[in-house]
Amino acid sequence: QVQLVQSGAEVKKPGASVKISCKASGYNLADYTLHWVRQAPGQSLEWMGWINAGNGHTKFSQKFQDRVTITRDTFARTAYMELSSLRSEDTAVYFCARGRPISEDYYDSRGFTEWGQGTLVTVSS
Amino acid sequence: SYDLTQPPSVSMSPGQTARITCSGDALSKQFAYWYQQKPGQAPVVVIYKDSERPSGIPERFSGSSSGTTVTLTISGVQAEDEADYYCQSPDSSDSWVFGGGTKLTVL
């Protein structure tokens, strides 16, 4: 079955960067988009960006576009999200989630159909 | 970007019909998606493209759309439906937004 398995919890100091991995199994990573979503404690879900895992094209929320990088290694079946210049407000659980097949238009999306288990990032001095 | 507005909380007794709304200008032009999230778990999509139900989601979950408001309806609420529910929508540039979430309490 389709699974997304994320890397483990991280503790970082303000100003540092964090890089989280998301390993896909049960499907070909390169055939779908892959999104990153975060959730601060007690808060709503917040979309950060996505990658077309086939061609590497990315799109980011305006809020994060200066600080976030999303990449993928199709041979390793793994996507990565790196967030730089961390501050305390970045303390959150970060999720990866599978989006639409890259052959389809966003209008045909069935939503974010599979999710990783989440990675807690704590930013503290 | 744009906003999607949900009520913070809804309370229902078992067996009643729960309706959770989501409002936003983009919803008149874009599809809406609904996610259920239970504590400590990742979200699960329960409705996509306004009213489509993924396989494995109980029939008591349904969705509808009217103008700039979409509604998630849970007919015959059960204790297991207690969760946070989030609406979501893309914009025409394939950026995505979530609503603020609604906590459904089953009394």
Side-chain angles (χ1 to χ4, degrees):
Chain A
Q1 78 281 21
V2 173
Q3 258 196 315
L4 297 172
V5 178
Q6 300 181 220
S7 49
E10 302 264 11
V11 179
K12 295 292 183 181
K13 293 194 181 303
S17 297
V18 67
K19 189 171 185 177
I20 304 168
S21 66
C22 172
K23 186 173 178 67
S25 61
Y27 79 100
N28 186 5
L29 178 72
D31 288 342
Y32 286 79
T33 61
L34 195 291
H35 294 257
W36 289 89
V37 176
R38 79 176 188 181
Q39 187 170 38
Q43 301 301 308
S44 175
L45 303 168
E46 187 171 30
W47 178 77
M48 300 180 70
W50 60 259
I51 186 168
N52 176 324
N55 63 17
H57 172 75
T58 53
K59 186 167 182 68
F60 304 114
S61 164
Q62 284 187 328
K63 177 176 179 177
F64 299 104
Q65 62 183 13
D66 293 334
R67 296 197 294 141
V68 69
T69 304
I70 300 176
T71 57
R72 93 289 189 222
D73 180 342
T74 54
F75 295 103
R77 307 173 72 105
T78 301
Y80 304 90
M81 188 283 295
E82 184 171 20
L83 187 63
S84 63
S85 302
L86 291 169
R87 33 213 191 231
S88 59
E89 310 89 89
D90 294 318
T91 294
V93 175
Y94 290 76
F95 294 99
C96 60
R98 192 177 81 163
R100 59 176 170 81
I102 60 172
S103 58
E104 293 182 0
D105 188 88
Y106 80 92
Y107 206 72
D108 294 313
S109 176
R110 296 188 173 207
F112 299 0
T113 53
E114 281 79 28
W115 294 64
Q117 82 276 21
T119 297
L120 174 63
V121 174
T122 303
V123 183
S124 174
S125 54
Chain B
S1 67
Y2 56 91
D3 293 332
L4 297 176
T5 301
Q6 300 179 234
S9 62
V10 169
S11 297
M12 288 288 151
S13 298
Q16 289 187 315
T17 296
R19 294 180 178 85
I20 300 172
T21 59
C22 174
S23 299
D25 289 344
L27 296 177
S28 64
K29 297 182 283 291
Q30 304 293 344
F31 285 128
Y33 301 76
W34 289 97
Y35 296 83
Q36 176 193 69
Q37 187 183 33
K38 296 183 178 179
Q41 298 183 17
V44 173
V45 57
V46 295
I47 293 291
Y48 66 95
K49 294 175 75 172
D50 287 350
S51 59
E52 301 293 325
R53 191 174 55 249
S55 61
I57 300 301
E59 290 184 8
R60 64 180 180 273
F61 288 87
S62 63
S64 61
S65 176
S66 178
T68 58
T69 299
V70 294
T71 302
L72 173 68
T73 301
I74 310 172
S75 303
V77 165
Q78 300 183 7
E80 67 199 51
D81 300 330
E82 184 163 289
D84 294 326
Y85 291 86
Y86 295 92
C87 63
Q88 180 203 40
S89 185
D91 67 15
S92 58
S93 70
D94 207 359
S95 293
W96 293 75
V97 170
F98 287 95
T102 298
K103 181 175 182 61
L104 173 64
T105 300
V106 181
L107 302 169

